[in-house]
Amino acid sequence: MKLKFILVLSILAGFMFSCVGDKKSDLPETAIVEKTEEFNYNVEQFADIKILRYQIPGWENLTLKEQKLVYYLTQAGLAGRDIIWDQNYRHNLKIRKALENVYATYSGDKTTPEWQAFETYMKRVWFSNGIHHHYSNDKLKPGFTDDYLKGVLTETNTTLEEDAFNVIFNDKDAKKVNLTKDVDNVLLSAVNFYGPDVTTADVENFYKAKVSPDPKKPLSYGLNSQLVKENGVLTERMYKSGGLYGEAIDEIIKWLERAQGVAENEAQGEALGLLIEYYKTGDLQTWDDYNVAWTAATDGNIDYINSFIEVYNDPAGYRGSYETIVQIKDFDMSEKMAVLSENAQWFEDNSPLMDEHKKDTVVGVTYKVVNVAGEAGDASPSTPIGVNLPNANWIRAAVGSKSVSLGNIIHSYNNAGSSGRLKEFVHDDEEYELEKKYGQIGDKLHTALHEVIGHASGQLNPGVGETKETLKKYASTLEEGRADLVGLYYLYNPKLQELGLVDDWKAVGKAAYDGYIRNGLMTQLIRLNLGDDVEEAHMVNRQWVSAWAFEQGKAENVIEKVTRDGKTYFNINDYDKLHELFGQLLRETQRIKSEGDYAAVEALVEGYGVKVDQAIHAEVLERNKQFTSAPYSGFVNAVLVAETDDNGEITAIKVTQPESFDGQMLSYSKTYSFLPEEN
């Protein structure tokens, strides 16, 4: 891809960054798309989901040894696929096995509305890695009756135990992750990180008693375990070989050992060795040692993410969801975007943060554009578009971090077709033309600034605990809003033009501000049912950033709420002042993080980020009815096929494309089901 190639990523998209973890991007709602080639990026659409596919550019330029490394890493990732299903909900594997057997073997009438509803439900379950929606966390509602399911189960000789059957239709375990204020979030979340009788207080008290050997390098307690009560006593079931998920982890280890054998260099091989040791032992010091080695291993064409990493699915913010992404470096784009990481210290020094909250020295920040070769676990089918790791604040401060944008995923979004929603929600032709000309480069730069500069900026005050301890359930949305604000603050800055990244920094900044406010106050609401609160961390942060700026600027009419022909629009009248407001909010969010101010983050998020203007929501939903494009997107994976000689040695690896979403899902279940239904 060339630098001028249009990268469409609405600020609407959630980014997978780190610090406390971030995740999930979705098809932008306000895309301007220029199709450039004949490859068919669209697979199918159902419910609120569009399935896409991606290519792997440059595959043929890799050596066979490099291709083997990619192949082994993707196999390692897929070997752990069942883990995310069981982590998401305790009945998921039983339900998936039963539904898949019906889907594959039913020979009755497949033209009925009930069967079509069953097919849609099956696909939604596949997409979400379980029976709860991948974004809202609400339990998926089947479009068929319990009697119909009983009938097709009987006709296909399929069994499903009573509790698992009933939960498909009843109100039990209604939320995978429940972050509602003033309730026991752990007790009321269906996610399988905790035993059914474990409370939020249990979790907090259990980890208060944990003391890291070196307080300056706190271990990630809880990251790789399930917390349960055995005979009334809290205990951790560790994710490791011989422990919880051991059958799948042994398969992961097998493929990682093969990958280590074809590592590109010594540093990469040493990091893989530490990851293997971590999977064998579950030791959290080894996990930190691995992250230090992985962060420092920046040479080579191939990189990867693999293990229990992001904590979004844990209402208490301790436990990591299994995920993996295998990446191939895009040399051209990486070289062009390296200017951001090279100037990370300038951005830190010139930020509006309090001096005591700035880092004296920003170290080890790297940024690359990569092409995905395979994803699994919580990164698939709903994929991120950017990654910034590791999560541990002390490693980021002492060693650095790796930031990447997933170039071929972005490219697929670009070429999959526009939703056409932009024209409906822009205030006027000037805003439309700004978005058309500059919006896409603004979105690309916001992604990069968020990842590279945002998550690398700032520091905790001495003696302040990790944000999962101080800010608790608000840690994720605070961190993502903070990183968004770093990006917003610098998008409207001549430094970007000085670095050669844009031709007109003001125009790019204006387009980015328009898009962010439009989305944060209006267009992202198409994802919610009328009457719902905003709950997903990224949607929450986009709303509290936008709503706070709107309210704080009311006296000077910085952002104007306009009603025309019965429709609502938000028009920015003073971009300079909005830039100042974003700087003020960035300063405050960093203060909250640095000081661990729980009362302040609660007031900010609950006051601006959760409740929805119902009149505007109803209007947005009505205006959106004219558009048929689904609000969420995900991907099937490219398929790597190994060709071998008579001795079983790999002689070539070919890239093929799956014909269908259901075909790939059934193939995965047949090939990579290593866990029992009950764990």
Side-chain angles (χ1 to χ4, degrees):
M1 294 183 291
K2 298 179 181 179
L3 183 61
K4 67 179 182 181
F5 181 76
I6 299 173
L7 292 174
V8 181
L9 283 180
S10 167
I11 302 299
L12 157 67
F15 306 111
M16 174 183 166
F17 309 109
S18 265
C19 290
V20 290
D22 184 5
K23 187 117 171 39
K24 297 307 176 196
S25 79
D26 311 293
L27 184 68
E29 297 169 359
T30 57
I32 301 288
V33 173
E34 180 180 325
K35 291 193 176 183
T36 59
E37 48 193 85
E38 293 304 316
F39 180 81
N40 185 8
Y41 293 90
N42 293 287
V43 178
E44 68 170 304
Q45 181 169 310
F46 53 86
D48 57 353
I49 304 296
K50 179 186 282 188
I51 302 295
L52 308 176
R53 56 170 61 92
Y54 60 83
Q55 296 175 293
I56 309 178
W59 176 259
E60 65 281 356
N61 296 326
L62 298 178
T63 66
L64 180 59
K65 182 182 178 183
E66 290 171 329
Q67 291 180 352
K68 286 181 180 180
L69 176 59
V70 172
Y71 178 74
Y72 295 148
L73 289 170
T74 57
Q75 292 299 305
L78 289 166
R81 175 177 180 256
D82 274 0
I83 295 174
I84 190 61
W85 284 77
D86 193 73
Q87 285 184 315
N88 280 344
Y89 184 54
R90 66 187 182 279
H91 291 313
N92 274 340
L93 289 174
K94 302 172 196 170
I95 292 172
R96 189 190 78 192
K97 182 177 180 180
L99 296 185
E100 285 180 340
N101 192 61
V102 171
Y103 190 92
T105 64
Y106 179 66
S107 58
D109 187 354
K110 296 185 178 181
T111 64
T112 66
E114 291 85 358
W115 177 258
Q116 291 168 3
F118 175 83
E119 285 186 325
T120 297
Y121 183 76
M122 178 78 262
K123 291 175 182 178
R124 297 184 77 191
V125 169
W126 278 325
F127 190 85
S128 296
N129 295 313
I131 66 169
H132 295 86
H133 193 278
H134 74 287
Y135 209 80
S136 73
N137 289 312
D138 292 328
K139 190 162 63 173
L140 300 171
K141 295 180 179 179
F144 49 86
T145 65
D146 55 350
D147 284 340
Y148 181 77
L149 182 56
K150 287 177 183 176
V152 294
L153 287 170
T154 300
E155 290 183 49
T156 55
N157 296 313
T158 306
T159 59
L160 181 59
E161 69 173 43
E162 184 177 5
D163 286 349
F165 178 94
N166 289 337
V167 81
I168 295 173
F169 301 97
N170 63 26
D171 294 330
K172 189 177 180 180
D173 297 330
K175 275 277 191 186
K176 183 175 76 174
V177 184
N178 188 326
L179 296 178
T180 305
K181 186 181 179 182
D182 297 329
V183 303
D184 192 314
N185 300 119
V186 169
L187 198 60
L188 293 181
S189 294
V191 70
N192 195 26
F193 287 143
Y194 300 99
D197 51 355
V198 176
T199 67
T200 301
D202 288 332
V203 178
E204 292 176 352
N205 291 331
F206 185 84
Y207 290 108
K208 278 181 183 177
K210 298 283 187 182
V211 179
S212 296
D214 184 350
K216 294 182 179 180
K217 299 178 179 180
L219 299 177
S220 300
Y221 287 120
L223 184 70
N224 63 335
S225 68
Q226 182 190 56
L227 187 64
V228 299
K229 287 182 179 179
E230 294 181 355
N231 299 318
V233 178
L234 287 168
T235 185
E236 289 181 308
R237 302 176 69 202
M238 301 298 295
Y239 308 153
K240 64 176 184 175
S241 177
L244 186 56
Y245 305 140
E247 301 93 333
I249 288 172
D250 286 342
E251 287 291 322
I252 296 171
I253 291 170
K254 178 184 77 175
W255 289 105
L256 288 178
E257 288 177 337
R258 295 182 185 182
Q260 187 183 24
V262 291
E264 295 178 276
N265 50 63
E266 183 178 353
Q268 188 182 71
E270 288 179 356
L272 283 166
L274 286 166
L275 179 58
I276 292 165
E277 183 65 18
Y278 169 63
Y279 271 128
K280 288 180 177 179
T281 65
D283 180 69
L284 290 170
Q285 183 58 60
T286 303
W287 171 247
D288 279 355
D289 293 342
Y290 160 70
N291 275 282
V292 170
W294 176 83
T295 302
T298 57
D299 293 333
N301 299 334
I302 314 301
D303 211 344
Y304 62 94
I305 296 155
N306 183 303
S307 198
F308 312 103
I309 300 173
E310 307 293 1
V311 299
Y312 288 112
N313 290 327
D314 181 0
Y318 285 88
R319 302 185 139 68
S321 295
Y322 175 78
E323 67 179 297
T324 179
I325 305 173
V326 183
Q327 314 154 3
I328 302 169
K329 184 177 179 180
D330 182 324
F331 292 94
D332 183 49
M333 286 300 295
S334 295
E335 182 179 352
K336 290 173 180 175
M337 295 302 293
V339 65
L340 286 177
S341 55
E342 292 166 359
N343 284 272
Q345 191 66 56
W346 183 93
F347 288 107
E348 182 79 356
D349 293 343
N350 289 275
S351 74
L353 308 186
M354 300 178 189
D355 288 343
E356 60 267 33
H357 297 157
K358 294 181 182 180
K359 290 178 179 175
D360 292 332
T361 305
V362 180
V363 299
V365 177
T366 64
Y367 178 56
K368 297 177 181 178
V369 179
V370 300
N371 292 313
V372 167
E375 299 177 311
D378 205 33
S380 178
S382 180
T383 173
I385 49 82
V387 180
N388 181 284
L389 292 171
N391 284 337
N393 283 308
W394 77 262
I395 297 178
R396 300 168 69 84
V399 182
S401 62
K402 288 180 179 178
S403 297
V404 298
S405 292
L406 309 186
N408 58 338
I409 297 296
I410 295 167
H411 184 76
S412 295
Y413 278 135
N414 287 357
N415 285 274
S418 172
S419 69
R421 292 184 177 96
L422 176 62
K423 195 102 178 181
E424 175 63 34
F425 290 100
V426 294
H427 171 251
D428 52 27
D429 289 341
E430 180 183 359
E431 183 178 334
Y432 178 80
E433 291 302 323
L434 268 176
E435 174 66 29
K436 187 175 179 180
K437 188 172 183 180
Y438 297 108
Q440 295 157 359
I441 185 63
D443 290 343
K444 179 184 70 172
L445 287 172
H446 190 265
T447 303
L449 288 164
H450 177 126
E451 291 185 46
V452 184
I453 307 303
H455 284 301
S457 69
Q459 62 184 358
L460 300 180
N461 286 0
V464 173
E466 293 294 299
T467 54
K468 66 184 178 185
E469 300 162 351
T470 59
L471 306 184
K472 302 180 182 179
K473 68 179 182 180
Y474 301 113
S476 292
T477 191
L478 190 283
E479 174 60 19
E480 300 318 315
R482 190 188 69 86
D484 263 4
L485 284 161
V486 171
L488 290 167
Y489 185 76
Y490 283 118
L491 274 168
Y492 195 74
N493 190 295
K495 184 67 174 180
L496 297 185
Q497 193 160 334
E498 178 187 323
L499 295 175
L501 293 169
V502 298
D503 295 326
D504 186 338
W505 66 269
K506 276 202 170 184
V508 171
K510 287 179 178 180
Y513 283 15
D514 288 339
Y516 197 92
I517 295 299
R518 184 172 61 245
N519 181 50
L521 296 180
M522 292 192 70
T523 56
Q524 71 171 0
L525 297 178
I526 69 169
R527 298 164 185 236
L528 301 179
N529 295 317
L530 188 62
D532 287 353
D533 288 342
V534 186
E535 296 181 271
E536 196 279 329
H538 305 92
M539 289 184 68
V540 171
N541 95 241
R542 289 188 290 265
Q543 179 166 295
W544 62 252
V545 169
S546 301
W548 184 94
F550 174 65
E551 182 173 293
Q552 296 301 313
K554 271 186 175 180
E556 299 178 69
N557 203 28
V558 176
I559 304 171
E560 182 180 4
K561 181 181 177 181
V562 177
T563 301
R564 185 175 64 245
D565 300 326
K567 296 181 178 181
T568 303
Y569 307 89
F570 288 91
N571 186 54
I572 300 172
N573 293 317
D574 191 336
Y575 293 93
D576 291 339
K577 184 63 179 179
L578 182 56
H579 175 255
E580 291 180 20
L581 289 172
F582 284 147
Q584 292 171 23
L585 186 55
L586 171 57
R587 181 184 179 94
E588 172 63 6
T589 56
Q590 182 61 57
R591 184 199 67 77
I592 290 171
K593 179 181 178 180
S594 295
E595 298 178 2
D597 191 339
Y598 181 83
V601 73
E602 182 182 48
L604 178 64
V605 174
E606 296 292 344
Y608 293 99
V610 176
K611 296 300 178 182
V612 177
D613 184 315
Q614 294 302 305
I616 287 182
H617 192 186
E619 177 193 325
V620 168
L621 293 177
E622 182 62 32
R623 291 165 68 180
N624 186 61
K625 286 181 179 178
Q626 63 188 294
F627 306 110
T628 59
S629 180
Y632 301 102
S633 290
F635 287 79
V636 291
N637 279 309
V639 181
L640 304 182
V641 180
E643 300 177 355
T644 59
D645 60 19
D646 293 340
N647 298 318
E649 292 295 319
I650 294 177
T651 58
I653 300 173
K654 305 298 184 185
V655 177
T656 64
Q657 292 292 336
E659 293 184 2
S660 65
F661 177 60
D662 60 350
Q664 182 159 89
M665 294 299 99
L666 290 170
S667 174
Y668 281 174
S669 293
K670 180 179 179 181
T671 309
Y672 304 107
S673 290
F674 297 112
L675 293 183
E677 295 178 16
E678 195 80 44
N679 292 283

